[in-house]
């Protein structure tokens, strides 16, 4: 099964074209393992930490992330905490990844949150 995903949505600091990738490979990126850690470090995220995926309801999993930006990514540096939730797509042919991002130590960061919804089909 192939998925069309624009990695630019996940890593806006890089210029990626839309790619065709297998769903399993994309989910490894969000798996919490060594691949995810390396990608996050290469994209400028320091002190990256993630919890394991925990089942909240049948088929629905959640985890938390935290990291700090280096000064090449953000002139303010700053930190991020995220809550991610993954659940099967309605047709069971992929996943829906929902991410709520809170920014810390950046101007006005405490006044908003960023919500990303990534359908990986």
């Amino acid at each position: 099964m192939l998925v069309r995903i624009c990695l630019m949505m996940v890593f806006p600091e890089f210029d990626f074209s839309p790619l065709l990738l297998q769903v399993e490979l994309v989910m490894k990126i969000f798996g919490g393992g060594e691949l995810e850690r390396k990608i996050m470090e290469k994209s400028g995220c320091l002190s990256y930490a993630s919890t394991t995926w925990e089942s909240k309801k049948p088929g629905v999993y959640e985890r938390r992330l935290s990291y700090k930006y280096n000064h090449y990514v953000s002139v303010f540096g700053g930190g991020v905490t995220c809550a991610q939730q993954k659940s099967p797509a309605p047709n069971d042919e992929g996943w829906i990844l929902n991410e709520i991002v809170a920014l810390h130590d950046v101007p006005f960061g405490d006044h908003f949150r960023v919500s990303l919804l990534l359908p990986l089909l």
Side-chain angles (χ1 to χ4, degrees):
M1 174 181 304
L2 297 176
V3 61
R4 180 171 293 277
I5 180 172
C6 181
L7 292 177
M8 203 163 91
M9 293 169 56
V10 180
F11 303 106
E13 59 274 6
F14 295 109
D15 185 23
F16 288 105
S17 299
L19 301 172
L20 284 176
L21 300 172
Q22 292 185 355
V23 171
E24 294 81 18
L25 175 62
V26 174
M27 291 312 292
K28 277 186 182 180
I29 294 172
F30 296 104
E34 189 66 17
L35 177 62
E36 179 181 38
R37 188 187 62 75
K38 284 182 180 180
I39 289 172
M40 295 303 283
E41 285 179 359
K42 294 277 185 189
S43 65
C45 300
L46 309 171
S47 304
Y48 181 78
S50 67
T51 62
T52 58
W53 288 103
E54 297 178 11
S55 179
K56 295 300 179 183
K57 295 187 242 177
V60 177
Y61 301 90
E62 289 182 1
R63 72 175 183 161
R64 304 241 178 245
L65 308 171
S66 65
Y67 52 91
K68 294 181 185 249
Y69 283 123
N70 69 22
H71 289 286
Y72 295 111
V73 175
S74 170
V75 295
F76 304 107
V80 173
T81 54
C82 302
Q84 287 183 336
Q85 184 180 71
K86 71 176 180 179
S87 56
N91 57 5
D92 285 331
E93 292 185 9
W95 292 89
I96 303 293
L97 186 66
N98 189 13
E99 184 170 10
I100 307 297
V101 180
L103 303 173
H104 307 285
D105 302 325
V106 297
F108 304 106
D110 55 342
H111 294 286
F112 63 91
R113 298 197 187 284
V114 178
S115 180
L116 302 168
L117 185 63
L118 302 171
L120 305 172
L121 308 171

